[in-house]
Amino acid sequence: MSNYFNTLPLREQLNQLGVCDFMDSGEFLDGVNVLKGKKLVIVGCGAQGLNQGLNLRDSGLDVSYTLRKEAIEGKRDSWKNATENNFTVGTYEELIPSADVVVNLTPDKQHTAVVNAIMPLMKQGATLLYSHGFNIVEEGMQIRKDITVIMVAPKCPGSEVRAEYVRGFGVPTLIAVHPENNPEGKGLAQAKAYCVGTGGHRAGVLRSSFVAEVKSDLMGEQTILCGLLQTGSILSFDKMIEKGIDAGYASKLVQYGVEVITEALKHGGVTGMMDRLSNPAKIKAFEVSEELKDIMRPLFQKHQDDIMSGEFSRVMMEDWANGDKNLLAWRAATGETAFEKTPAGDVKIAEQEYFDNYTLMVAFVRAGVELAFETMVQAGIKPESAYYESLHETPLIANTIARKKLFEMNRVISDTAEYGCYLFDQACKPLLKDFMTKVDTDLVGKNFNEGKDGGVDNQSLIAINEALRTHQVETIGAKLRKAMTAMKSIKTA
Amino acid sequence: MSQPVVKITNLNLKYQHKPVLQDLNWTIKGDEHWLLCGESGSGKTSLAKAISGLTHSYGNIEITFNQERELPPLVYYVANWFQFKDLEGQSNFYYQQRYNKQSAETTATVKTELESFGKKHALPIDALDTILAALGFSEQKDATLIQLSSGEHKKLQLVKSLWLKPQLLILDLPYNGLDSTSRRNLNTLLEEIAKAGTQLILISNETEVPDCINRFAMIKEGQLVEIAGHERNLKGTKSVNRPVPAFLTDAVSLRPSGEIIKMIDVTISYGEKKVLKNINWEVNAGEKWVLHGHNGSGKSTLLSLICGDHPQAYANNFHLFGNKRGSGESIWEIKERIGLISPELHWYFDPSATVWQSVVSGFYDSSGLFCDPGYSKKSQTDELISYFGLDEYKNTLMNELPLGKQRLALLARTIIKNPEILILDEPCQGLDQQQTEHFNRLVDDLCKNGTTLIYVGHFDAQIPSCIEKRILLENGEVKSIETDIYTN
């Protein structure tokens, strides 16, 4: 198998990277009809598998689960998830041959093995559905020519996919059809119907391609989403300890700070987040983030280049073949950081205090979101796709950090995200060494406004507001967020 | 022993920038147990939270604990609403999550929750069993918090407070969601701890309160007004009788007739535990049912099946609107025909929706609004909001309103589409007596047009007069089905 993207001529590469159409809700009026009466068989019953299946069944579709023999005989968690919710569960041999649509919701790392096992069992003209394109694009998996290959990717964790559905909403979703596998031309209609079945059509659907999804998803998760939040958190905590801030306070500020700060990002974009700061703090955060953008730009570009060339996935798959040597070492190192080992103190931190005392993180988030977005767009990814993989997902990872800190956050994100996160973090920390020596507690640990009179220069404030508000991630974000009406606020501790 | 325990002088408190308490004065002496009653939204909860130090207020609140007593020198407040967290300290739970089984437990069990509470306050573990038994809660020890019904969450909070026996205990709507036996036993337990030295402040509009209650008060225009005990149930003068909006009473054509619900040996179990056992029940169009049963008898689970909220519906011989569940219908097609209110629907409702969005979302059966409803739905919404007297709160967020007002908005949401079936699970929780009577009259009006009704209420006095049939659940089984019992 060879990297699919690299087999394409440049013209076709650009073509597929550029598939990006924010769909009108009128395109979903046919509901789930295309899939009504068809047999949907989901492979895997983890968080995405279970919750998507619950939604699809509640939308009137016929859903069952297939698991490996060992999972069924061992009554593993996936088996329990499916049977306790009264789904039919069977082996590949029992369920795949009669399936009209096989939904592959197993972890990325298992895709090649899973697809090789199920493909011979699939009936003529069936459909194979992915929620991430890594296997097709980076591993170059070849699917039998009579099979239709589509993607439906809800851009939220599985529990959220269910929670939003039962309240009558949905989560933003990407859909795609693999151009090499659309023999009957039914791919798009089936992807739309599946999307309605999970509720995604109520929150904004982006028509994308396997290529655009993979190249933007990998970039987002390595840089701003997981990588930079990890680097920023560790550096902030270490700085506070160095400057004598109480360790329990520092730990709590870092663990919950990203969540509170990015909650503002979720509702109002970078502008909304920066507006939570006082004027002097906003000017400072702007300046600091400009500096951070300059320092980190080459690193963001290197990550994007390696993703585009396939170098990233080649090296990662080497590590998979090598028994995850690098991954496990990095994972262990994350578990050993001082932040990870210091429990959050029993102190009350008010919501606004997270902004005032953690201005540095606001600067990190602005720098990371804008850089990731800019770098993706420069590489040929469309702004809508870039938005979902940068700004949109940042609060979701931040919520995971608030719940689990870094070590466990890395354990629950995807295989590719965890590897990419460590890779970025390893390279980014040394880059920021000089920058961090200049940082003091006014930016992290204490209230930035303390001892200042709050006065600012009109002209510079106007210029900064202008720069923030007219950035493309803001203009495109305003449009896309409108489709995700009445987003639920996360209830925090 | 009549030195003041609580002395409040010139207390001022604002709720969402509106003054609620204005120069309120209140002295509670050592031998007094108070009942605070009156209209919803008058400031009772705000006052209770101010005394408990849970909200910011201006003025003076002096609390003198008796250092010689063994009881913990604490004010303990039992909220009118349940709240719990998962093992990661978050409370991002969603509507009917408790019915979706996940292999990994994310919340603590009742037992570990109580153990950690006991440890925190150094409480004797042997005192716990009596309290659990009296409130009929002993069986729930191994249940996880997410699995509890709203009534059971209430009980858990009450168990903690009765076990703690603080010197001052404030209970906000303690009877909400409790069955009649539990209410009686709660009163006995409250009398016991009162004898042992706990002073009580009860916020409630119930008639049956512990005998030890010896002072009564209401809040009027921000001030505390003491009343005589017998005055508390007199009706207020404010009797608003607006006409029911015509779009709800116009004869509704095409109400289908025939069988709506048919359950044959319906059984719901979690692992070994059966919550519903061999339920056989038929409901035909136009029938008016009351569903009775003690807390934990399976009422909410039964209703969740009907509303398309329970995954195990697919594994049972259960027909809705003539179709077997799982024969290709979507839950949204089911919900379209049902108007539902329940404690859980309220608790999980989108707190950041405005009153207007909440009411109009009843047309779509969503929690909050995700689309543009168009002209006629918008004007019907406005009309209904006026009918419920909520005009001034139209653009207020739900979480900025007192419980009673939130509930009124959700009741408007329940009826706005004039559904074929009304499922009203303790609809009047948090409402005062007048609002309750008013709503029940409205239900009677709506039901004249052939609407099917299933009503759950733990208070016999609070049931609409149109009810004609009764199903009684006990420990997950149908204890009895009676027809034509309430017609007179």
Side-chain angles (χ1 to χ4, degrees), chain A residues 237-463:
Chain A
F237 181 81
D238 291 348
K239 173 58 72 177
M240 283 190 271
I241 299 307
E242 176 202 320
K243 295 284 180 184
I245 304 276
D246 174 70
Y249 178 87
S251 178
K252 183 158 186 185
L253 188 72
V254 169
Q255 183 176 350
Y256 297 100
V258 277
E259 182 182 46
V260 174
I261 288 167
T262 57
E263 181 70 10
L265 183 78
K266 179 169 102 184
H267 291 281
V270 175
T271 310
M273 174 183 73
M274 297 287 283
D275 283 350
R276 294 298 308 267
L277 300 172
S278 69
N279 286 330
K282 185 200 265 185
I283 292 177
K284 181 70 180 174
F286 181 84
E287 289 165 359
V288 169
S289 55
E290 287 292 295
E291 190 183 346
L292 284 168
K293 280 175 81 172
D294 287 339
I295 300 172
M296 297 190 298
R297 188 169 287 115
L299 181 62
F300 274 62
Q301 288 170 345
K302 180 182 177 346
H303 275 260
Q304 185 72 73
D305 293 346
D306 287 349
I307 288 165
M308 284 298 177
S309 69
E311 178 65 8
F312 164 74
S313 42
R314 186 188 67 77
V315 174
M316 179 178 63
M317 287 188 285
E318 252 173 37
D319 196 49
W320 290 0
N322 203 10
D324 293 321
K325 189 163 165 286
N326 289 338
L327 181 94
L328 293 175
W330 287 331
R331 186 187 279 174
T334 302
E336 290 303 311
T337 55
F339 165 62
E340 203 62 33
K341 293 194 141 182
T342 311
D346 190 15
V347 276
K348 227 185 154 72
I349 304 183
E351 202 244 9
Q352 184 58 39
E353 188 176 338
Y354 282 108
F355 291 90
D356 296 336
N357 292 24
Y358 202 11
T359 311
L360 181 64
M361 183 48 78
V362 177
F364 268 122
V365 171
R366 183 221 162 203
V369 165
E370 290 191 1
L371 261 186
F373 180 88
E374 290 164 17
T375 314
M376 283 190 243
V377 172
Q378 281 162 6
I381 293 164
K382 294 289 182 213
E384 287 87 348
S385 310
Y387 173 85
Y388 279 122
E389 303 298 348
S390 57
L391 197 153
H392 169 73
E393 289 213 31
T394 306
L396 302 172
I397 302 295
N399 171 254
T400 314
I401 293 175
R403 289 187 288 124
K404 297 171 183 288
K405 302 186 84 166
L406 297 175
F407 182 77
E408 284 298 323
M409 176 273 281
N410 276 296
R411 301 291 306 273
V412 301
I413 57 180
S414 70
D415 301 331
T416 58
E418 184 181 10
Y419 186 89
C421 170
Y422 297 144
L423 200 64
F424 178 91
D425 182 45
Q426 294 303 313
C428 192
K429 273 198 228 124
L431 267 185
L432 293 174
K433 197 162 174 275
D434 289 345
F435 166 82
M436 285 306 294
T437 56
K438 297 182 296 181
V439 170
D440 207 342
T441 48
D442 60 337
L443 278 181
V444 54
K446 292 188 179 160
N447 191 331
F448 180 83
N449 305 300
E450 216 171 80
K452 299 189 179 69
D453 69 359
V456 291
D457 174 59
N458 280 325
Q459 294 300 336
S460 35
L461 184 65
I462 291 165

Side-chain angles (χ1 to χ4, degrees), chain A residues 36 58 81 85-86 167 404, chain B residues 88 103 312 314 331 367:
Chain A
K36 251 206 161 144
D58 279 346
N81 278 343
N85 289 294
N86 298 98
R167 78 178 192 114
K404 297 171 183 288
Chain B
E88 289 168 343
S103 51
Q312 293 192 31
Y314 296 100
I331 58 168
S367 166

Side-chain angles (χ1 to χ4, degrees), chain B residues 206 427-429 431 433 436 440 455 457-464:
Chain B
E206 291 324 312
C428 298
Q429 266 190 12
L431 301 190
Q433 209 179 338
T436 301
N440 283 341
Y455 196 101
H458 287 300
F459 297 89
D460 284 336
Q462 291 183 359
I463 282 174

Side-chain angles (χ1 to χ4, degrees), chain B residues 383-410:
Chain B
E383 209 180 333
L384 196 56
I385 284 177
S386 286
Y387 176 73
F388 274 87
L390 292 168
D391 278 319
E392 59 175 308
Y393 307 107
K394 223 173 187 169
N395 298 314
T396 311
L397 302 186
M398 290 293 269
N399 64 2
E400 292 177 349
L401 284 175
L403 214 52
K405 295 271 187 288
Q406 291 180 21
R407 180 50 69 106
L408 283 179
L410 292 179

